[in-house]
C-alpha cells in the first residue's frame, strides 16, 4: 500500500466506501510486466474521467517493475483509489490523496491454457452509462453476479449484454466474433471495459492487415457467429469451444492473431 | 470493524476490490437509531439480492444500538461487505464471511435545516440495471460524479435521470413531485435506491389518506412540477427552493407529511 508492505487499508478509503477508484491487472512474463505503458495509460485515462488527481505514475511504474521482478510469472493487480473519505457523503473534497494498493498473484499457466472454454449468456445485464463505459473502475458488482452465475452454471465465462440487448463483453474478458466472414468486436461506448489485450489485438490486426469491425452487436447475433474468442491479459486471445451447448470452432485468422500475440508475450 | 475498535480493513476486502457489499446510513435521535428495523430489513434484502450470506443481524443490531447511545444526535453508517477475496477474480467462493464496518458521524442539524435547497439536473446518468435497482450497494461512482458536479455548480443536490430520460432520484435522496394536482414519486425498478425515508413517507401518506402515485417520471416532467421535495434519513422530507434557477414553492400536503415525519422523529 503506497509502496509499503501492508495487509490493510484505512476503513475510510473511498474505494471501500463508494468503489471510487480504478484498477489494472497486469501479467508478468520473465519478470517483466507486459504492456506496462498501455496499462498506465488506461489508469491515467480512468482517473481523468473520474476527476481523480493522479500524480503517482512514476511511483506506480517503479512498484510494478519491482513487483514483477519478484513474480516472474504472475499477475499484478494495482488498485488506485481517490484516497480517504475526509468528510461524510459521496462528494469528494477535491484535495484527496490517491492510494495505491498493489497485489501479487501466482499465475497457474498449466491450468489455464489447456481446457476448452465453456461459455454461457449471463442473465445479469450490464448497465449502460457512457460516463463510466470503457474504464476499469471499482464498481464491479455486475461482474461479481455474472461470475456467481457462471460458477453455478459450470461456465468458464459469462457473456454479458445490456438491458437493450447489445452484447458487450464477458465478465472478465472482451469478445471477438467471426460473423458472416468478418471479425467483429463490440463497441464499448455505453458499457464494458476497454481491455488492454483488446487494444493490443486491435493494433496487431491493423498491422497484419486483418480487418476488425468495431460496432454494436445484438445479443441475437451471437447465434450467427461461427467462432467466438475471448481476450484478457491472463488468457491472451482464446477460442470458445462451447457456447450454451453449441460447439464452436477456432478460426484461421483469429488463430493467426493468437499466435502473433503469444509470440509477443512469450 | 466486526464489533472491535479499528481504523482499517484488510486490503483483500471485496468491498474495496469490487464494491461487493451494501450499506445503511441511520440517523440517531435521543441516542436511538431511527427506523432501525426498516434499515435492517433493507440490509437483509440487499444481501439476499447479491447472494451475500448475511447471518450477523443480531450483532449488527446490538452494535447500532450501542453506537447510538454514544451519538445522541448523529449518523451511523454500517457497511456490510461479502468479506475477503480469498481467490483472485470476481467470483465469490461462496464461503466468505461478511464484514461489518460501522462509522459514526456528528450531525450538524443547525446547518442542515435552515438553508433553502438549491438543486440542479445532473449530466451524470444513472445506469439502468434491474438486478441492482433499489438496493443500497457499494457501487456508487455515479453518485460521486453527480456530487462532484453539484459542488462545482453550487447545488445542494443533483437530480439524476437514466440515459433513457427517466427521472429516478437525487444523488443522495429520493424525490417527490407535485404534478398536475397529484403527488408523484419515481418507480425504482430500473435504477435508484429505495430509501428508508421514502418508505416511511409512503407508509405515512397511506395512513393519512394522501394518495401517492409511484410511476416512471420523464425528465421533462420536472419542468411541470409546482413543488419538489427530497427525502433521506439526514434531511427528512424537505422542499426544493430552486431548481436550476426556477423558484419552487412548498405544498400544503407535502408540508403536512413533513410535519408528521418531523413529529415522528423529533
Amino acid at each position: 500500500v503506497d509502496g509499503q508492505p501492508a495487509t490493510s487499508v484505512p476503513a475510510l478509503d473511498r474505494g471501500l466506501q463508494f468503489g471510487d477508484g480504478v484498477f489494472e491487472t497486469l501479467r508478468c512474463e520473465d519478470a517483466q510486466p507486459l504492456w506496462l505503458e498501455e496499462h498506465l495509460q488506461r489508469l491515467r485515462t480512468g482517473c481523468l474521467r473520474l476527476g481523480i488527481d493522479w500524480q503517482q505514475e512514476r511511483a506506480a511504474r517503479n512498484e510494478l517493475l519491482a513487483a514483477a521482478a519478484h513474480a516472474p510469472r504472475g499477475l499484478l493487480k494495482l488498485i488506485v483509489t481517490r484516497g480517504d473519505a475526509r468528510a461524510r457523503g459521496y462528494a469528494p473534497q477535491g484535495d484527496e490523496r490517491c492510494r495505491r494498493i498493489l497485489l501479487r498473484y501466482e499465475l497457474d499457466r498449466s491450468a489455464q491454457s489447456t481446457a476448452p472454454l465453456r461459455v454461457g449468456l449471463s442473465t445479469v445485464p450490464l448497465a449502460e452509462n457512457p460516463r463510466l463505459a470503457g474504464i476499469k473502475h471499482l464498481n464491479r458488482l455486475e461482474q461479481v453476479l455474472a461470475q456467481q452465475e457462471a460458477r453455478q452454471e459450470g461456465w468458464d465465462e459469462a457473456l454479458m449484454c445490456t438491458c437493450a440487448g447489445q452484447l458487450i463483453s464477458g465478465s472478465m474478458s472482451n469478445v471477438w466474433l467471426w460473423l458472416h466472414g468478418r471479425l467483429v468486436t463490440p463497441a464499448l461506448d455505453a458499457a464494458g471495459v476497454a481491455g488492454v489485450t483488446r487494444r493490443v489485438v486491435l493494433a496487431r490486426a491493423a498491422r497484419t492487415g486483418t480487418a476488425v469491425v468495431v460496432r454494436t452487436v445484438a445479443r441475437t447475433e451471437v447465434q450467427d457467429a461461427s467462432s467466438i474468442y475471448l481476450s484478457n491479459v491472463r488468457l491472451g486471445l482464446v477460442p470458445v469451444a462451447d457456447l450454451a451447448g453449441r460447439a464452436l470452432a477456432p478460426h484461421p485468422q483469429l488463430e493467426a492473431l493468437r499466435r502473433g500475440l503469444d509470440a509477443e508475450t512469450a
Side-chain angles (χ1 to χ4, degrees), chain A residues 107-178:
Chain A
L107 181 58
D108 184 355
R109 278 176 75 77
S110 61
Q112 78 182 59
S113 52
T114 50
L117 280 183
R118 298 190 57 228
V119 170
L121 272 164
S122 180
T123 63
V124 181
L126 275 178
E128 294 186 59
N129 191 336
R131 282 292 292 268
L132 296 176
I135 65 178
K136 205 168 168 87
H137 56 68
L138 290 174
N139 281 197
R140 292 294 153 207
L141 265 175
E142 293 166 343
Q143 286 73 23
V144 168
L145 294 181
Q147 290 216 1
Q148 210 170 34
E149 181 183 31
R151 191 161 283 233
Q152 281 157 9
E153 300 286 340
W155 306 331
D156 299 301
E157 172 63 310
L159 294 186
M160 302 184 73
C161 303
T162 65
C163 292
Q166 307 289 351
L167 173 71
I168 300 295
S169 65
S171 69
M172 56 174 177
S173 60
N174 289 115
V175 61
W176 309 78
L177 305 96
W178 196 266

Side-chain angles (χ1 to χ4, degrees), chain A residues 4-28:
Chain A
Q4 301 300 316
T7 58
S8 65
V9 297
L12 286 174
D13 190 280
R14 293 179 58 95
L16 171 66
Q17 300 280 326
F18 312 119
D20 191 7
V22 293
F23 71 106
E24 294 291 328
T25 304
L26 298 91
R27 185 166 126 210
C28 302

Side-chain angles (χ1 to χ4, degrees), chain A residues 24 42 133-136 174 188 191-199:
Chain A
E24 294 291 328
R42 183 173 59 180
I135 65 178
K136 205 168 168 87
N174 289 115
L188 303 175
V193 176
V196 161
T197 308
R198 176 179 185 269
R199 183 175 158 169

Side-chain angles (χ1 to χ4, degrees), chain A residues 25-29 31-39 68 109 196 233 261 264-266:
Chain A
T25 304
L26 298 91
R27 185 166 126 210
C28 302
E29 295 286 346
Q32 291 288 329
L34 272 180
W35 306 316
L36 175 58
E37 296 310 318
E38 286 82 355
H39 282 288
R109 278 176 75 77
V196 161
V233 291
L261 195 74
E264 190 176 327
T265 62

